[in-house]
Coordinates of all heavy atoms in Angstrom, one line a residue:
M261 N -22.4 22.8 112.1 CA -23.4 23.5 113.0 C -23.3 23.0 114.4 O -23.3 23.8 115.3 CB -24.8 23.3 112.4 CG -25.9 24.0 113.1 SD -25.7 25.7 112.9 CE -27.1 26.3 113.7
K262 N -23.2 21.7 114.6 CA -23.1 21.1 115.9 C -21.8 21.6 116.6 O -21.9 21.8 117.9 CB -23.1 19.6 115.9 CG -24.5 19.0 115.5 CD -24.4 17.5 115.5 CE -25.8 17.0 115.0 NZ -25.8 15.5 115.0
K263 N -20.8 21.8 115.9 CA -19.5 22.2 116.5 C -19.7 23.7 117.0 O -19.2 24.0 118.1 CB -18.4 22.2 115.5 CG -17.9 20.8 115.1 CD -16.8 20.8 114.2 CE -16.3 19.4 113.8 NZ -15.2 19.4 112.8
W264 N -20.4 24.5 116.3 CA -20.6 25.9 116.7 C -21.5 25.9 118.0 O -21.2 26.7 118.9 CB -21.2 26.7 115.6 CG -20.3 27.0 114.5 CD1 -20.2 26.5 113.3 CD2 -19.2 27.9 114.6 NE1 -19.2 27.0 112.6 CE2 -18.5 27.9 113.4 CE3 -18.7 28.7 115.6 CZ2 -17.3 28.6 113.1 CZ3 -17.5 29.5 115.3 CH2 -16.9 29.4 114.1
I265 N -22.4 25.0 118.0 CA -23.3 25.0 119.2 C -22.5 24.5 120.4 O -22.6 25.2 121.5 CB -24.5 24.1 119.0 CG1 -25.5 24.7 117.9 CG2 -25.3 23.8 120.3 CD1 -26.6 23.8 117.5
A266 N -21.7 23.5 120.2 CA -20.9 23.0 121.3 C -19.9 24.1 121.8 O -19.6 24.2 123.0 CB -20.1 21.7 120.9
L267 N -19.3 24.7 120.8 CA -18.3 25.8 121.2 C -19.0 26.9 121.9 O -18.4 27.4 122.9 CB -17.6 26.3 119.9 CG -16.6 27.4 120.1 CD1 -15.5 26.9 121.0 CD2 -16.1 27.8 118.8
S268 N -20.2 27.4 121.5 CA -20.9 28.4 122.2 C -21.2 28.0 123.6 O -21.2 28.9 124.5 CB -22.0 29.0 121.3 OG -23.0 27.9 121.2
V269 N -21.7 26.8 123.8 CA -22.0 26.3 125.1 C -20.8 26.3 126.0 O -20.8 26.7 127.2 CB -22.7 24.9 125.0 CG1 -22.8 24.3 126.4 CG2 -24.1 25.0 124.4
L270 N -19.7 25.8 125.4 CA -18.5 25.8 126.2 C -18.0 27.2 126.6 O -17.6 27.4 127.8 CB -17.4 25.1 125.4 CG -16.0 25.0 126.1 CD1 -16.0 24.2 127.3 CD2 -15.0 24.5 125.1
L271 N -18.1 28.2 125.7 CA -17.7 29.5 126.0 C -18.7 30.1 127.1 O -18.2 30.9 127.9 CB -17.7 30.4 124.8 CG -16.6 30.1 123.8 CD1 -16.8 30.9 122.5 CD2 -15.3 30.5 124.5
A272 N -19.9 29.8 127.0 CA -20.9 30.4 128.0 C -20.6 29.8 129.4 O -20.6 30.5 130.3 CB -22.3 29.9 127.6
V273 N -20.3 28.5 129.4 CA -19.9 27.9 130.8 C -18.7 28.5 131.3 O -18.6 28.9 132.5 CB -19.8 26.4 130.6 CG1 -19.2 25.8 131.9 CG2 -21.2 25.8 130.4
A274 N -17.6 28.7 130.4 CA -16.4 29.3 130.9 C -16.6 30.7 131.3 O -16.0 31.2 132.3 CB -15.4 29.2 129.7
A275 N -17.5 31.5 130.7 CA -17.7 32.9 131.1 C -18.4 32.9 132.4 O -18.2 34.0 133.1 CB -18.5 33.6 130.0
C276 N -19.2 32.0 132.8 CA -19.9 32.0 134.0 C -19.1 31.5 135.2 O -19.6 31.7 136.4 CB -21.2 31.2 133.9 SG -22.4 31.8 132.7
S277 N -18.0 30.9 135.0 CA -17.3 30.3 136.1 C -16.6 31.5 136.8 O -16.1 32.4 136.3 CB -16.3 29.3 135.6 OG -15.3 29.9 134.8
K278 N -16.6 31.4 138.2 CA -16.0 32.4 139.0 C -14.5 32.0 139.3 O -14.2 30.8 139.4 CB -16.7 32.4 140.4 CG -18.1 32.9 140.2 CD -18.8 33.0 141.5 CE -20.3 33.4 141.4 NZ -21.0 33.4 142.6
P279 N -13.6 33.0 139.5 CA -12.2 32.7 139.7 C -12.1 32.1 141.2 O -13.0 32.5 142.0 CB -11.5 34.0 139.6 CG -12.6 35.0 139.7 CD -13.9 34.4 139.3
V280 N -11.2 31.3 141.4 CA -11.0 30.7 142.7 C -10.4 31.8 143.7 O -9.5 32.5 143.4 CB -10.0 29.5 142.6 CG1 -9.7 29.0 144.0 CG2 -10.5 28.5 141.7
Q281 N -11.1 31.8 144.9 CA -10.6 32.8 145.9 C -9.5 32.1 146.7 O -9.8 31.1 147.4 CB -11.8 33.2 146.8 CG -11.4 34.2 147.8 CD -11.1 35.6 147.2 OE1 -11.6 35.9 146.1 NE2 -10.4 36.4 147.9
V282 N -8.3 32.5 146.6 CA -7.2 31.9 147.3 C -7.1 32.5 148.8 O -7.1 33.7 148.9 CB -5.8 32.2 146.6 CG1 -4.7 31.6 147.4 CG2 -5.9 31.7 145.2
P283 N -7.2 31.6 149.8 CA -7.1 32.1 151.1 C -5.8 32.7 151.4 O -4.8 32.4 150.8 CB -7.3 30.8 152.0 CG -7.9 29.8 151.1 CD -7.5 30.2 149.7
T284 N -5.8 33.6 152.5 CA -4.5 34.2 152.8 C -3.7 33.3 153.7 O -4.2 32.3 154.2 CB -4.8 35.5 153.6 OG1 -5.5 35.2 154.8 CG2 -5.7 36.5 152.8
E285 N -2.5 33.7 154.0 CA -1.6 32.9 154.9 C -2.2 32.8 156.2 O -2.1 31.8 156.9 CB -0.2 33.6 154.9 CG 0.9 32.8 155.6 CD 2.2 33.5 155.6 OE1 2.5 34.2 154.7 OE2 3.0 33.1 156.4
A286 N -2.7 34.0 156.8 CA -3.3 33.9 158.1 C -4.5 33.0 158.2 O -4.7 32.3 159.2 CB -3.7 35.4 158.5
E287 N -5.3 32.9 157.1 CA -6.5 32.0 157.1 C -6.0 30.6 157.1 O -6.6 29.7 157.8 CB -7.3 32.3 155.9 CG -8.1 33.6 156.0 CD -8.8 33.9 154.6 OE1 -8.3 33.6 153.6 OE2 -9.8 34.6 154.7
F288 N -4.9 30.3 156.4 CA -4.4 28.9 156.4 C -3.8 28.5 157.8 O -4.0 27.4 158.3 CB -3.3 28.8 155.4 CG -3.8 28.6 154.0 CD1 -3.3 29.4 153.0 CD2 -4.7 27.6 153.6 CE1 -3.7 29.2 151.6 CE2 -5.1 27.4 152.3 CZ -4.6 28.2 151.3
E289 N -3.1 29.5 158.4 CA -2.6 29.2 159.7 C -3.7 29.0 160.8 O -3.5 28.2 161.7 CB -1.6 30.3 160.2 CG -0.3 30.4 159.4 CD 0.6 31.5 159.9 OE1 0.5 31.9 161.1 OE2 1.5 31.9 159.1
A290 N -4.8 29.7 160.6 CA -5.9 29.5 161.6 C -6.7 28.2 161.4 O -7.2 27.7 162.3 CB -6.9 30.7 161.4
T291 N -6.7 27.7 160.2 CA -7.4 26.4 159.9 C -6.5 25.4 159.2 O -6.4 25.4 158.0 CB -8.6 26.7 159.0 OG1 -8.2 27.4 157.9 CG2 -9.7 27.5 159.8
P292 N -5.8 24.6 160.0 CA -4.9 23.6 159.5 C -5.5 22.6 158.5 O -4.8 22.2 157.6 CB -4.3 22.9 160.7 CG -4.5 23.9 161.8 CD -5.7 24.6 161.5
K293 N -6.7 22.3 158.7 CA -7.5 21.3 157.8 C -7.5 22.0 156.4 O -7.3 21.2 155.4 CB -8.9 21.0 158.4 CG -9.7 20.2 157.5 CD -9.3 18.8 157.4 CE -10.3 17.9 156.7 NZ -9.8 17.3 155.5
M294 N -7.8 23.2 156.3 CA -8.0 23.9 155.0 C -6.6 23.9 154.4 O -6.5 23.7 153.2 CB -8.5 25.3 155.2 CG -8.6 26.0 153.9 SD -9.4 27.6 153.9 CE -8.4 28.5 155.1
L295 N -5.5 24.1 155.2 CA -4.2 24.1 154.7 C -3.8 22.8 154.1 O -3.2 22.7 153.0 CB -3.2 24.6 155.7 CG -1.7 24.5 155.4 CD1 -1.4 25.4 154.3 CD2 -0.9 24.9 156.6
S296 N -4.1 21.8 154.9 CA -3.8 20.4 154.4 C -4.5 20.1 153.1 O -3.9 19.5 152.2 CB -4.2 19.4 155.5 OG -4.1 18.1 155.1
D297 N -5.8 20.4 153.0 CA -6.6 20.1 151.8 C -6.0 20.9 150.6 O -5.9 20.4 149.5 CB -8.0 20.5 152.0 CG -8.7 19.6 153.0 OD1 -8.2 18.5 153.3 OD2 -9.8 20.0 153.4
W298 N -5.6 22.2 150.8 CA -5.1 23.0 149.8 C -3.7 22.5 149.3 O -3.4 22.5 148.1 CB -5.0 24.5 150.3 CG -5.0 25.5 149.1 CD1 -3.9 25.9 148.4 CD2 -6.1 26.1 148.5 NE1 -4.2 26.8 147.5 CE2 -5.6 27.0 147.5 CE3 -7.4 26.1 148.7 CZ2 -6.4 27.8 146.8 CZ3 -8.3 26.9 148.0 CH2 -7.7 27.7 147.0
M299 N -2.9 22.1 150.2 CA -1.6 21.5 149.9 C -1.7 20.3 149.1 O -0.9 20.0 148.1 CB -0.7 21.3 151.1 CG -0.2 22.6 151.8 SD 0.7 23.7 150.7 CE 2.2 22.7 150.4
Q300 N -2.8 19.5 149.4 CA -3.0 18.3 148.5 C -3.4 18.7 147.1 O -2.9 18.1 146.1 CB -4.2 17.5 149.1 CG -3.8 16.6 150.3 CD -3.0 15.4 149.9 OE1 -2.8 15.1 148.7 NE2 -2.5 14.7 150.8
K301 N -4.1 19.8 147.0 CA -4.5 20.2 145.6 C -3.2 20.7 144.9 O -3.1 20.6 143.7 CB -5.5 21.4 145.7 CG -6.8 21.0 146.1 CD -7.7 22.2 146.1 CE -9.1 21.9 146.6 NZ -10.0 23.1 146.7
C302 N -2.3 21.3 145.6 CA -1.1 21.9 145.0 C -0.1 20.9 144.7 O 0.6 21.0 143.7 CB -0.5 22.9 146.0 SG -1.4 24.4 146.2
T303 N 0.0 19.8 145.4 CA 1.0 18.8 145.2 C 0.5 17.6 144.3 O 1.2 17.2 143.4 CB 1.5 18.2 146.5 OG1 0.5 17.6 147.2 CG2 2.2 19.2 147.3
K304 N -0.7 17.2 144.4 CA -1.2 16.0 143.7 C -2.5 16.3 143.0 O -3.0 15.4 142.3 CB -1.4 14.9 144.6 CG -0.1 14.4 145.3 CD -0.3 13.3 146.2 CE 1.0 12.9 146.9 NZ 0.8 12.1 148.1
G305 N -3.1 17.4 143.3 CA -4.5 17.6 142.7 C -4.6 18.6 141.6 O -3.8 18.6 140.7
E306 N -5.6 19.3 141.6 CA -6.0 20.2 140.4 C -5.0 21.3 140.1 O -5.0 21.8 139.0 CB -7.4 20.7 140.6 CG -7.6 21.6 141.9 CD -9.1 21.7 142.2 OE1 -9.6 20.8 142.9 OE2 -9.6 22.8 141.8
Y307 N -4.2 21.8 141.1 CA -3.3 22.8 140.9 C -1.9 22.3 140.6 O -1.0 23.1 140.3 CB -3.2 23.8 142.1 CG -4.6 24.3 142.5 CD1 -4.9 24.5 143.8 CD2 -5.5 24.7 141.5 CE1 -6.2 25.0 144.2 CE2 -6.7 25.2 141.9 CZ -7.0 25.3 143.2 OH -8.3 25.8 143.6
S308 N -1.7 21.0 140.6 CA -0.3 20.5 140.5 C 0.2 20.5 139.0 O 1.4 20.5 138.8 CB -0.3 19.0 140.9 OG -1.2 18.2 140.2
N309 N -0.7 20.7 138.1 CA -0.3 20.7 136.7 C -0.3 22.1 136.1 O -0.2 22.2 134.9 CB -1.2 19.8 135.9 CG -1.1 18.4 136.3 OD1 -0.1 17.9 136.6 ND2 -2.2 17.6 136.2
L310 N -0.4 23.1 136.9 CA -0.4 24.5 136.4 C 1.0 24.9 136.1 O 2.0 24.3 136.6 CB -1.0 25.4 137.4 CG -2.4 25.2 137.8 CD1 -2.9 26.1 138.9 CD2 -3.4 25.4 136.6
G311 N 1.1 25.9 135.3 CA 2.4 26.5 135.1 C 3.0 27.1 136.3 O 2.3 27.3 137.3
I312 N 4.3 27.5 136.3 CA 5.0 28.0 137.5 C 4.4 29.2 138.0 O 4.1 29.3 139.2 CB 6.5 28.2 137.2 CG1 7.2 26.9 136.9 CG2 7.1 28.9 138.3 CD1 8.6 27.0 136.4
E313 N 4.1 30.2 137.1 CA 3.5 31.5 137.6 C 2.1 31.3 138.2 O 1.8 31.8 139.3 CB 3.4 32.4 136.5 CG 3.0 33.8 136.9 CD 3.1 34.8 135.7 OE1 4.2 34.8 135.0 OE2 2.2 35.5 135.5
E314 N 1.3 30.5 137.5 CA -0.1 30.3 138.0 C -0.1 29.4 139.3 O -0.9 29.7 140.2 CB -1.0 29.6 136.9 CG -2.4 29.5 137.2 CD -3.1 30.8 137.2 OE1 -2.6 31.8 136.6 OE2 -4.1 30.9 137.9
Q315 N 0.8 28.5 139.4 CA 0.9 27.6 140.6 C 1.4 28.5 141.8 O 0.9 28.3 142.9 CB 1.8 26.4 140.4 CG 1.7 25.5 141.6 CD 2.5 24.2 141.3 OE1 3.4 24.2 140.6 NE2 2.1 23.2 142.0
S316 N 2.2 29.4 141.5 CA 2.7 30.3 142.6 C 1.6 31.2 143.1 O 1.5 31.4 144.3 CB 3.8 31.2 142.0 OG 4.2 32.2 143.0
K317 N 0.7 31.6 142.2 CA -0.5 32.4 142.6 C -1.4 31.6 143.5 O -1.9 32.1 144.5 CB -1.2 33.0 141.4 CG -0.5 34.1 140.7 CD -1.4 34.5 139.5 CE -0.6 35.4 138.6 NZ -1.4 35.8 137.4
M318 N -1.6 30.4 143.0 CA -2.6 29.5 143.7 C -2.1 28.9 145.0 O -2.9 28.6 145.9 CB -3.1 28.4 142.8 CG -3.7 28.9 141.5 SD -5.2 29.9 141.8 CE -6.4 28.7 142.4
C319 N -0.8 28.6 145.0 CA -0.2 27.8 146.2 C 0.8 28.6 147.0 O 1.3 28.0 148.0 CB 0.4 26.5 145.6 SG -0.7 25.6 144.6
G320 N 1.1 29.8 146.6 CA 2.2 30.5 147.4 C 1.8 30.8 148.8 O 2.7 30.5 149.7
S321 N 0.6 31.3 149.1 CA 0.3 31.5 150.5 C 0.2 30.3 151.3 O 0.4 30.2 152.5 CB -1.0 32.4 150.6 OG -2.1 31.6 150.0
A322 N -0.3 29.2 150.7 CA -0.4 27.9 151.4 C 1.0 27.4 151.8 O 1.3 26.9 152.9 CB -1.1 26.8 150.6
Q323 N 2.0 27.5 150.9 CA 3.3 27.1 151.1 C 4.0 27.9 152.2 O 4.7 27.5 153.1 CB 4.2 27.1 149.9 CG 3.7 26.0 148.9 CD 4.4 26.2 147.5 OE1 4.9 27.2 147.1 NE2 4.3 25.1 146.8
A324 N 3.7 29.3 152.2 CA 4.2 30.2 153.2 C 3.7 29.8 154.6 O 4.4 29.8 155.6 CB 3.9 31.6 152.8
A325 N 2.3 29.6 154.6 CA 1.8 29.2 155.9 C 2.2 27.8 156.4 O 2.5 27.7 157.6 CB 0.2 29.1 155.7
S326 N 2.4 26.9 155.5 CA 3.0 25.6 155.9 C 4.4 25.8 156.5 O 4.7 25.2 157.5 CB 3.0 24.7 154.7 OG 3.6 23.5 155.0
N327 N 5.2 26.6 155.8 CA 6.6 26.9 156.4 C 6.5 27.5 157.7 O 7.3 27.2 158.6 CB 7.4 27.7 155.4 CG 7.7 26.9 154.1 OD1 7.7 25.7 154.1 ND2 8.0 27.7 153.1
A328 N 5.6 28.5 157.9 CA 5.5 29.2 159.2 C 5.0 28.3 160.3 O 5.6 28.3 161.4 CB 4.5 30.4 159.0
L329 N 4.1 27.4 160.0 CA 3.6 26.4 161.0 C 4.7 25.5 161.4 O 4.9 25.1 162.5 CB 2.4 25.7 160.5 CG 1.1 26.6 160.5 CD1 0.0 25.8 159.9 CD2 0.7 27.1 161.9
L330 N 5.5 25.1 160.4 CA 6.6 24.2 160.6 C 7.7 24.8 161.5 O 8.2 24.2 162.4 CB 7.2 23.7 159.3 CG 8.4 22.7 159.4 CD1 8.0 21.4 160.1 CD2 8.9 22.4 158.1
Q331 N 8.0 26.1 161.2 CA 9.0 26.8 162.0 C 8.5 27.0 163.5 O 9.2 26.9 164.4 CB 9.2 28.2 161.4 CG 10.0 28.0 160.1 CD 10.3 29.4 159.4 OE1 9.7 30.4 159.8 NE2 11.0 29.4 158.4
K332 N 7.2 27.3 163.6 CA 6.6 27.4 165.0 C 6.7 26.1 165.8 O 7.0 26.1 166.9 CB 5.2 27.9 165.0 CG 5.0 29.3 164.5 CD 3.6 29.7 164.4 CE 3.4 31.1 163.9 NZ 2.0 31.5 163.8
A333 N 6.4 25.0 165.1 CA 6.5 23.7 165.7 C 7.9 23.4 166.1 O 8.2 22.8 167.3 CB 5.9 22.6 164.8
R334 N 8.9 23.6 165.3 CA 10.3 23.4 165.6 C 10.8 24.3 166.7 O 11.6 23.9 167.5 CB 11.2 23.7 164.3 CG 10.9 22.7 163.2 CD 11.5 21.3 163.6 NE 11.1 20.4 162.6 CZ 11.8 19.5 162.1 NH1 13.1 19.4 162.6 NH2 11.4 18.7 161.2
A335 N 10.3 25.5 166.8 CA 10.7 26.5 167.9 C 10.1 25.9 169.2 O 10.9 26.0 170.2 CB 10.2 27.9 167.6
K336 N 8.9 25.4 169.2 CA 8.4 24.9 170.4 C 9.2 23.6 170.8 O 9.5 23.5 172.0 CB 7.0 24.4 170.2 CG 6.0 25.6 170.3 CD 4.5 25.0 170.2 CE 3.5 26.1 170.3 NZ 2.1 25.6 170.1
Q337 N 9.6 22.8 169.9 CA 10.3 21.6 170.2 C 11.7 22.0 170.7 O 12.2 21.4 171.7 CB 10.5 20.8 168.9 CG 11.1 19.5 169.1 CD 11.3 18.7 167.8 OE1 11.3 19.3 166.7 NE2 11.2 17.4 167.8
N338 N 12.3 22.9 170.1 CA 13.7 23.4 170.6 C 13.6 24.1 171.9 O 14.5 24.0 172.8 CB 14.3 24.3 169.6 CG 14.8 23.5 168.4 OD1 15.0 22.3 168.4 ND2 14.9 24.3 167.3
A339 N 12.5 24.8 172.2 CA 12.4 25.5 173.5 C 12.2 24.5 174.6 O 12.7 24.7 175.7 CB 11.1 26.4 173.5
K340 N 11.6 23.3 174.3 CA 11.5 22.3 175.4 C 12.8 21.7 175.7 O 13.1 21.2 176.8 CB 10.5 21.2 174.9 CG 9.1 21.6 174.9 CD 8.2 20.5 174.4 CE 6.8 21.0 174.2 NZ 5.9 19.9 173.8
L341 N 13.7 21.7 174.8 CA 15.1 21.1 175.0 C 15.8 21.9 176.0 O 16.7 21.4 176.7 CB 15.9 21.0 173.7 CG 15.3 20.0 172.6 CD1 16.1 20.1 171.4 CD2 15.4 18.6 173.2
F342 N 15.6 23.2 176.0 CA 16.4 24.1 176.8 C 15.7 24.4 178.2 O 16.2 25.3 178.9 CB 16.6 25.5 176.1 CG 17.6 25.3 175.0 CD1 17.2 25.3 173.7 CD2 19.0 25.1 175.2 CE1 18.0 25.1 172.6 CE2 19.8 24.9 174.1 CZ 19.4 24.9 172.8
Q343 N 14.6 23.8 178.5 CA 14.0 24.0 179.8 C 14.5 23.1 180.8 O 15.0 22.1 180.7 CB 12.5 23.9 179.6 CG 11.8 25.0 178.9 CD 10.3 24.7 178.7 OE1 9.8 23.7 179.0 NE2 9.6 25.7 178.2

């Protein structure tokens, strides 16, 4: 009986939880602090142990934004070399 009560409570809690809203690439680029925090979750935190497909959904836009910011920084650095 106790197992059924525990199971029903667990199912009720799971049903009430809201899905995580993943920020877009543009939102990540606009707020580098959020990007840094999200990348920590993807590499060492709560999203690091997900399967490949689920991790791609949760971390894909963060990785794309990180790559875009890195490319912009490199472009600025290279532009200074040619001035």
Side-chain angles (χ1 to χ4, degrees):
M261 182 68 174
K262 290 181 182 180
K263 289 181 182 180
W264 287 107
I265 292 172
L267 182 60
S268 62
V269 168
L270 180 63
L271 288 174
V273 169
C276 294
S277 65
K278 295 180 182 178
V280 175
Q281 184 70 23
V282 179
T284 64
E285 186 177 337
E287 291 172 328
F288 280 129
E289 288 182 25
T291 52
K293 172 73 172 122
M294 180 174 57
L295 175 60
S296 175
D297 293 343
W298 202 272
M299 288 302 292
Q300 281 288 349
K301 289 180 182 180
C302 290
T303 57
K304 299 177 185 168
E306 57 197 86
Y307 304 140
S308 63
N309 296 325
L310 297 175
I312 293 173
E313 188 174 312
E314 190 66 25
Q315 190 174 25
S316 176
K317 289 178 188 176
M318 299 302 289
C319 302
S321 60
Q323 290 171 343
S326 179
N327 290 340
L329 290 175
L330 181 62
Q331 288 176 354
K332 288 177 185 178
R334 294 290 172 136
K336 282 184 181 180
Q337 187 180 30
N338 290 337
K340 290 180 182 178
L341 292 174
F342 291 107
Q343 288 179 351

